[in-house]
Amino acid sequence: MANAALKLISTIFILVFLSSFIIPGHDCQEFSRKLSKKEFGLKKQKLSHLHFYFHDIVSGRNPTAVRVASAAMTNTSSSSFGAMFMMDDPLTVGPNMTSKLVGRAQGIYASADLDELGLLMVLNFAFVEGKYNGSTLSVLGRNMVFSAVREMPIVGGSGLFRFARGYAQAKTHYANLQTGDAIVEYNVYVFHY
Ligand SMILES: *[C@@H]1O[C@H](CO)[C@@H](O)[C@H](O)[C@H]1NC(C)=O
Ligand SMILES: *[C@@H]1O[C@H](CO)[C@@H](O)[C@H](O)[C@H]1NC(C)=O
Ligand SMILES: *[C@@H]1O[C@H](CO)[C@@H](O)[C@H](O)[C@H]1NC(C)=O
């Protein structure tokens, strides 16, 4: 009887001892651990469609995109290869600049094609509208600006768009080839939680 009790106690002791290795706590110096999606507050994955207009103003006294770099020999390429712009472009719900602001496109576009006008787009859509205020979506893509519809990957997001992935389709709504100003319609399809 005493023997059995001793056995039980030593078994419990061993289990407790081992579990401290097998189930790491929050406070120990662990590098990684598995989480369940539920435990982390991730429920059903959602698919959202966002629609807005992007205003790229390079001319006038209040441009929203400025050239920050260019190749030493800018006239060697018809595509201005090497030119790089930093933008903080307003995003509005309608094509008119005076329509409701839903966010801003902040980042870089750069001429990355030697022959045609093809841009490398590296930017964040930073939203300010309603529940999306403060959330962002990150775009990393190729934008052949003279194509009717350009598709760019959404590679991630923050806030409401944590774990986001999807794609954006850009369609030029208006472009002034003299000034370089443009309004681009965006349709964004994104999976998130
Ligand atoms: C490029 O610019 C330089 C200096 O302005 C000029 O000498 C040259 O002819 C230009 N080349 C072309 C292809 O326009
Ligand atoms: C944009 O809206 C303003 C004010 O509502 C209006 O005066 C202007 O004509 C509109 N522009 C276009 C291109 O529709
Ligand atoms: C968005 O959030 C910021 C910071 O919390 C706040 O100052 C701003 O008024 C909000 N904008 C809208 C349109 O709700």
Side-chain angles (χ1 to χ4, degrees):
M1 190 64 195
N3 216 347
L6 204 67
K7 240 184 200 160
L8 188 66
I9 287 166
S10 61
T11 305
I12 287 168
F13 181 79
I14 285 165
L15 279 178
V16 167
F17 183 72
L18 282 179
S19 73
S20 68
F21 287 98
I22 295 163
I23 309 160
H26 286 254
D27 49 352
C28 83
Q29 295 200 345
E30 59 176 339
F31 172 59
S32 71
R33 69 192 168 105
K34 283 220 168 70
L35 285 177
S36 77
K37 281 163 73 172
K38 241 193 212 135
E39 180 191 343
F40 205 58
L42 300 178
K43 288 176 206 106
K44 255 190 110 157
Q45 198 173 44
K46 294 188 268 283
L47 176 62
S48 296
H49 173 214
L50 308 171
H51 178 249
F52 51 81
Y53 291 83
F54 165 106
H55 300 263
D56 192 51
I57 304 154
V58 294
S59 70
R61 302 226 322 241
N62 298 305
T64 60
V66 295
R67 187 191 282 249
V68 293
S70 58
M73 298 201 38
T74 50
N75 64 352
T76 54
S77 161
S78 60
S79 66
S80 303
F81 181 70
M84 193 185 278
F85 288 76
M86 185 68 74
M87 78 185 112
D88 185 358
D89 286 348
L91 306 173
T92 59
V93 75
N96 195 326
M97 181 74 145
T98 59
S99 67
K100 188 174 193 192
L101 184 81
V102 294
R104 310 192 71 86
Q106 299 176 331
I108 291 167
Y109 59 84
S111 177
D113 190 306
L114 275 168
D115 304 314
E116 296 171 66
L117 194 53
L119 303 177
L120 164 71
M121 308 287 288
V122 184
L123 64 102
N124 293 308
F125 290 133
F127 297 102
V128 296
E129 164 62 13
K131 65 176 178 177
Y132 298 103
N133 188 12
S135 295
T136 67
L137 283 176
S138 300
V139 176
L140 175 60
R142 177 174 184 250
N143 186 359
M144 303 305 287
V145 295
F146 291 124
S147 300
V149 180
R150 292 87 70 182
E151 185 171 311
M152 289 166 264
I154 302 291
V155 297
S158 73
L160 212 118
F161 291 121
R162 282 174 180 171
F163 294 107
R165 64 205 161 81
Y167 64 95
Q169 285 182 323
K171 215 184 328 178
T172 303
H173 176 77
Y174 159 89
N176 185 327
L177 295 178
Q178 259 78 53
T179 62
D181 294 349
I183 301 171
V184 182
E185 181 183 6
Y186 269 85
N187 278 290
V188 175
Y189 300 90
V190 66
F191 277 120
H192 61 102
Y193 288 93

